[in-house]
Amino acid sequence: GAVVSQHPSWVICKSGTSVKIECRSLDFQATTMFWYRQFPKQSLMLMATSNEGSKATYEQGVEKDKFLINHASLTLSTLTVTSAHPEDSSFYICSVGQPNQPQHFGDGTRLSIL
Amino acid sequence: GEDVEQSLFLSVREGDSSVINCTYTDSSSTYLYWYKQEPGAGLQLLTYIFSNMDMKQDQRLTVLLNKKDKHLSLRIADTQTGDSAIYFCAEIPKAAGNKLTFGGGTRVLVKP
């Protein structure tokens, strides 16, 4: 069965809207989750590490005020794309994994900003 | 530094074997992974190998690891049309915490 649930799977919205994506760990409590962005025909780019109960750790070049991450519980992390613009259109994927264990990925969220 | 490289594309006939190759630079990883991504979907963990192993077989999948050359391969026997996807190899270097480093992905096209 699924280890990670990601919702929604597809969002279309107008420019300037904020969009929230949820990532849930179904099988275990996750102190750490990861958020990735994927452009068409490219590999995954790590955006940030979501840490339960503390601030997320962002990769270089990722705007933390643009991509807000909240990890309020051991089973839920959210990524909010604030004031989204067409250049934010992408495929966003989360992953969950225990240390030294394989990471499991959500099904991804396709975000389209008009 | 951390760098994982894969060939971009592989075309194979249904029923043949596919071999996808990957090279990596950081030898500190405990495990190396293969993920599969179908169009519009997330990543599915296919298999992984412990770094002190040379080979792992799981049904139609065979993973070979050459630590000396830092080379990882995934062989799919009796390739089916449902195997058409992008395949990513990945590692977690010890210095990276639990963060995956991905290759660029190999697009496999299976022709009937």
Side-chain angles (χ1 to χ4, degrees):
Chain A
V3 177
V4 183
S5 171
Q6 189 173 339
H7 176 82
S9 56
W10 197 1
V11 179
I12 303 174
C13 58
K14 292 182 179 178
S15 188
T17 310
S18 290
V19 178
K20 181 187 282 189
I21 304 169
E22 293 186 349
C23 181
R24 291 183 185 274
S25 175
L26 302 178
D27 273 9
F28 56 87
Q29 295 181 327
T31 55
T32 303
M33 296 186 188
F34 298 93
W35 287 98
Y36 296 84
R37 182 173 181 176
Q38 187 180 31
F39 291 102
K41 294 187 178 4
Q42 293 189 26
S43 188
L44 279 73
M45 180 191 79
L46 179 65
M47 298 174 67
T49 304
S50 175
N51 305 300
E52 188 269 334
S54 65
K55 289 182 182 178
T57 308
Y58 289 82
E59 295 299 303
Q60 194 171 8
V62 178
E63 299 176 61
K64 63 178 193 272
D65 295 329
K66 175 72 168 175
F67 300 100
L68 298 179
I69 291 172
N70 184 286
H71 193 150
S73 79
L74 286 168
T75 58
L76 174 64
S77 175
T78 61
L79 168 68
T80 301
V81 184
T82 61
S83 185
H85 292 283
E87 59 266 26
D88 299 321
S89 298
S90 194
F91 193 57
Y92 294 87
I93 313 177
C94 68
S95 75
V96 175
Q98 301 184 75
N100 295 318
Q101 295 295 318
Q103 285 187 27
H104 296 272
F105 286 79
D107 286 337
T109 298
R110 185 163 303 282
L111 177 61
S112 298
I113 309 297
L114 305 177
Chain B
E2 304 163 0
D3 199 9
V4 181
E5 294 189 355
Q6 301 176 236
S7 51
L8 286 177
F9 182 73
L10 175 67
S11 178
V12 62
R13 291 213 175 272
E14 190 175 16
D16 289 349
S17 293
S18 310
V19 179
I20 308 166
N21 294 301
C22 172
T23 58
Y24 60 96
T25 56
D26 194 309
S27 57
S28 69
S29 301
T30 304
Y31 294 98
L32 293 119
Y33 306 91
W34 284 103
Y35 286 90
K36 176 184 181 183
Q37 186 180 33
E38 297 185 20
L43 271 67
Q44 172 196 353
L45 177 67
L46 274 183
T47 187
Y48 59 97
I49 188 168
F50 191 49
S51 59
N52 70 353
M53 294 172 66
D54 298 323
M55 185 185 85
K56 178 180 178 182
Q57 185 152 5
D58 183 1
Q59 299 182 332
R60 291 192 296 124
L61 305 178
T62 303
V63 180
L64 295 178
L65 175 61
N66 181 329
K67 285 196 74 173
K68 175 175 169 289
D69 296 337
K70 296 180 185 170
H71 183 266
L72 181 73
S73 67
L74 173 69
R75 178 178 181 270
I76 306 173
D78 187 25
T79 312
Q80 304 297 306
T81 54
D83 296 324
S84 292
I86 302 175
Y87 292 80
F88 292 96
C89 66
E91 62 169 346
I92 302 179
K94 276 199 165 50
N98 207 28
K99 293 192 285 189
L100 280 164
T101 299
F102 283 96
T106 299
R107 184 178 297 272
V108 174
L109 176 64
V110 182
K111 296 181 179 177

